[in-house]
Amino acid sequence: MSSAKTLDGKGAGEAIRELLRPRIAAFRVASGRSPGLGILLAGNDGGSQIYVRNKVHACEELGIVVDLRRLSEDSTVEQVTSVVNSLNRDESIDAILVQSPLPAGMGAEAEKEVFNVIDPGKDVDGFCAVNVGRLAQNRSTLAPATPSGIIELLDRSKIQIQGAHAVIIGRSDIVGKPMAMLMLHRHATVTICHSRTQDLAMVTSRADILISAVGHPGLVIPKFVKPGSTVIDVGTTRVTDRRQVSAIFGEESPRLEVLDRRGAVVVGDVHPGVASVAGAVTPVPGGVGPLTIAMLLSNTVKAAETRLT
Ligand code: NAP
């Protein structure tokens, strides 16, 4: 029943990393040290612990030095800001990442406040106001990792962006909005959808490239999709309910065996039935996730190289 090509995010992520190796070696020769990434992890969020562990591992594997600073769940915005400032001053640190989300107790505005303290030249996620502005003006050097990775995957898969109608579901600061900017700069015609969009299926079914960044398992069903189009699934939701997994993937799905073994499976926004309509789809896991990490590494190296010049 599946006819869509599967876009290999894992393979693309590995290819991006391999291209970084000689650049890191050249940086070491020129600077006498390895590129350095400072990571700040505040609180006990389970997902964040796993993401940070994966990021640290990926950096170490490439020879990027990580300075991981941990703060407790009850830490204050002032404490986080103070750590960011010390990383800003540290000459051996080229890039800084503050893991999102910050503890809820810090308040709704804490992330924006903290992101804006990061030196824009070291802002590896491109979340500070200066870098958001630079992205809007198409002068960006450090653009957010997930949307940058999606552009890389489309390019490597030879999917034409220029002139395509790109529809993005989700308008977050970390995925939806920067994705729209990057697609616009590549001359796509861009539509952004969100929770108040009327008749979502009607809007998305016009997309040549449909990107879903919602976090709602199985939201994108076949009627959302234009035949032959490209569908990029950013959603990653940890699902523990067997009935929900079997409703999406069917009673015979191997995912149920994984769920029984591990207690949870990661599910994307795109329903598996979409593969019978789309021309190309990204899997979850193994699609956008590995690209996000590869682009974090790439931005770290870019920040290090820029500081040398
Ligand atoms: P977010 O901040 O929670 O934003 C979700 C967006 O989806 C919001 O704009 C929301 O609209 C919209 N939305 C919610 N329900 C909707 C519906 N029924 N129809 C249409 N739009 C709807 O999410 P995020 O941080 O961008 O993350 C989105 C997903 O991507 C999550 O599953 C996250 O785990 C995943 N993610 C994956 C990676 C990766 O590397 N693979 C990286 C980042 C994020 P409103 O604005 O109107 O509320």
Side-chain angles (χ1 to χ4, degrees), residues 51 146 169-172 174-175 193-196 200 213-216 219 234-237 288-289 292:
Y51 296 143
T146 301
I169 321 178
R171 55 176 165 178
S172 70
I174 64 166
V175 187
C193 303
H194 45 78
S195 65
R196 321 286 165 87
L200 187 61
V214 176
H216 180 140
L219 171 77
V234 184
T236 46
T237 307
V288 173
T292 299

Side-chain angles (χ1 to χ4, degrees), residues 169-191:
I169 321 178
R171 55 176 165 178
S172 70
D173 290 342
I174 64 166
V175 187
K177 284 187 219 162
M179 187 78 249
M181 284 294 159
L182 290 176
M183 294 300 268
L184 202 53
H185 298 328
R186 290 291 302 272
H187 311 296
T189 301
V190 179
T191 303

Side-chain angles (χ1 to χ4, degrees), residues 15 22 45 50 55 68 73 80 86 92 95 105 109 128-129 131 134 148 169 174 185 191 211 213 250 257 265-266 282:
D45 181 78
I50 296 169
K55 289 170 185 176
L68 173 59
E73 184 74 30
V80 174
S86 84
S92 68
E109 290 302 305
C128 77
N131 283 333
R134 290 181 66 87
S148 303
I169 321 178
I174 64 166
H185 298 328
T191 303
I211 300 167
E257 190 266 317
V265 283
V266 174
T282 57

Side-chain angles (χ1 to χ4, degrees), residues 50-90:
I50 296 169
Y51 296 143
V52 166
R53 198 170 61 215
N54 292 342
K55 289 170 185 176
V56 171
H57 179 75
C59 284
E60 287 174 350
E61 204 273 320
L62 266 191
I64 293 171
V65 171
V66 178
D67 181 350
L68 173 59
R69 312 274 185 100
R70 289 176 183 272
L71 287 173
S72 64
E73 184 74 30
D74 59 0
S75 53
T76 63
V77 173
E78 290 69 31
Q79 285 169 315
V80 174
T81 304
S82 159
V83 172
V84 170
N85 273 325
S86 84
L87 292 169
N88 279 340
R89 286 189 301 268
D90 189 332

Side-chain angles (χ1 to χ4, degrees), residues 267-288:
V267 180
D269 290 349
V270 177
H271 190 279
V274 163
S276 62
V277 182
V281 292
T282 57
V284 174
V288 173

